[in-house]
Amino acid sequence: MERHEQLGDRKAGQARRVVSRSRLRTDALPVLLRPVADQAARHARRVLDQAASHRPRRVSRRVRTGSAMAMVAQGLSGVGGSREWRRTAAGRCGRHSGVAFHALALRFGDRVPRLVSRHRNCVAAAGVVVDLLGVLPGVSQLSALRRADSPGRTRAGRVGPRRRAADASMRARLLDLLACPTCVADLELLDAEHDREEVVRGELACRRCGDRFPIAGGIPRFPPATADDRVRSTAQNFGAQWRVFDELAAHHEAQFRDWIAPVRPSLLRGKRVLELGCGKGRHTRVVAEWGVDEIVAVDVSDAVDVAYRHTRHQPHVHVIQADINRLPLKRVFGYAFSIGVLHHLENPAAGFRAMVDHVEPGGAVSCWVYARENNGWIIRVVDPLRRLLFSRLGPRALYAVALVAASALFAVIRVVYRPLRSAGVGARLFYADYLRYISTFPFREIHTIVYDHLTAPTAFYISRDEFEGWFRDAGLADVVIAWHNANSWRGFGVIGSR
Ligand SMILES: [Zn+2]
């Protein structure tokens, strides 16, 4: 009996300290999570207060419940919280959910199935394992998340990430492809510091209007066409996304081939290729291996730093930071593509036109966009939530939200959609084509996909008529428009002589 009282006292002391700490930290939380953390902390305090009036055995149980709730509150606080929390995130999360599971089994012991209450230690252990599985792959990303919280670090005009000089340089022959985004005149290199064929440092200046553009971190950087808030935050959010989800995977090539079908690698051989919206460079590095003459990868966000890192070893790749609506390039390309990007522009049709206008007659373009058809539930439910809520959360909170949603999605597609991939009945499942398509992807890719779908403030869903209109208005020939996974459009067309 005495032992229980001592245990109760000790636990109560620990729990009270946790509660008071978590209350301090909730101020640092994203607004959305604050009420949850506050409520958990309030509940914990109530349980601790009630504990005083119970028999000793109950005291220790009640205190443990309160303690667990308090730690959950603290864990939530940690999402927006201190550096110390992040440093030990994995261990603590595992313990939190283990303790929470354990406490719930104790707390509701008479109301949960007897099996659960009898094997509560197993339940607790399962909680720890589940949590560690979910959190561990993310831990290595925590420092990236922290970096992602300071967007614009490497934007035009600022100093890029520190690299050894020879590792961060622009290839001099890119200069032949560049044109002033303001007046289309040639650019010249000023104050250049060379290392053989490469420009380590310098500035680009227009020969006619005198506008100047810095080369930072090996990447020439051109300012966006507009200072509009939504445009800026779209770029910022995707920049943060690709700095966090920066890994490359083997299945990216097959996915890319699906997106540009019916184009085959042989069509690109010897061509000068333009990629609009390269993100982390996952397509860039694939195309660079297809025998192309050169590929210029463009992105408006500072994901260009990640793309640069992934393609640095490939001699035919150039990465530049620029806006699709203000491209600093001449019309010198034989093939251009844009995958999953145009629908995030304020004016997707204008973006398509800009792509076409940089391809020489006889060249071709490919692009892939979200479809309006078959996406009614996304347009009605997900899109408003994304616009008003998810796109405003900030990288760390969105990472956590996407982790939870991705875990649920991953469980469903692995248990239901994957086994029914080729079965006839599988075709009648909700959103069957797409979910069966992604059902073989690893968890990390599902997490990326969910994050990607929640982060953009701007996303348009394009109908087939509208999509065909882009190709018609641009006077393209041999147009092929096809349905992809019954939720998106991919299109191909050849530029006529105009
Ligand atoms: Zn100019």
Side-chain angles (χ1 to χ4, degrees), residues 214-367:
I215 300 168
I219 302 168
R221 300 176 191 257
F222 300 85
T226 154
D228 183 88
D229 268 357
R230 247 157 55 119
V231 175
R232 196 168 40 83
S233 72
T234 300
Q236 258 174 21
N237 289 8
F238 279 113
Q241 171 177 328
W242 296 126
R243 285 204 303 280
V244 174
F245 296 94
D246 65 345
E247 58 275 84
L248 301 173
H251 64 269
H252 286 163
E253 175 162 357
Q255 222 184 343
F256 177 63
R257 284 172 183 246
D258 279 345
W259 276 323
I260 59 165
V263 170
R264 282 213 280 261
S266 55
L267 184 96
L268 276 62
R269 201 161 295 142
K271 292 248 170 75
R272 196 179 275 145
V273 177
L274 172 63
E275 174 179 12
L276 295 182
C278 66
K280 62 178 165 181
R282 53 186 275 192
H283 313 315
T284 321
R285 56 113 198 187
V286 169
V287 172
E289 298 298 324
W290 286 357
V292 298
D293 177 35
E294 272 171 307
I295 173 167
V296 177
V298 180
D299 203 288
V300 73
S301 78
D302 46 18
V304 286
D305 291 309
V306 182
Y308 182 91
R309 173 155 55 82
H310 285 321
T311 56
R312 192 66 208 122
H313 60 287
Q314 296 173 303
H316 310 295
V317 178
H318 309 280
V319 178
I320 63 181
Q321 185 171 16
D323 189 328
I324 291 177
N325 293 310
R326 202 165 176 264
L327 286 172
L329 292 162
K330 296 174 184 162
R331 188 184 182 185
V332 289
F333 295 92
Y335 177 71
F337 66 93
S338 180
I339 304 298
V341 172
L342 298 180
H343 48 231
H344 293 304
L345 301 180
E346 291 298 312
N347 185 347
F352 182 80
R353 196 54 196 247
M355 175 165 76
V356 169
D357 286 346
H358 283 81
V359 177
E360 294 171 316
V365 295
S366 292
C367 83

Side-chain angles (χ1 to χ4, degrees), residues 180 182-185 206 208-211:
C180 172
T182 315
C183 72
V184 208
C206 175
R208 192 186 300 158
C209 72
D211 273 5

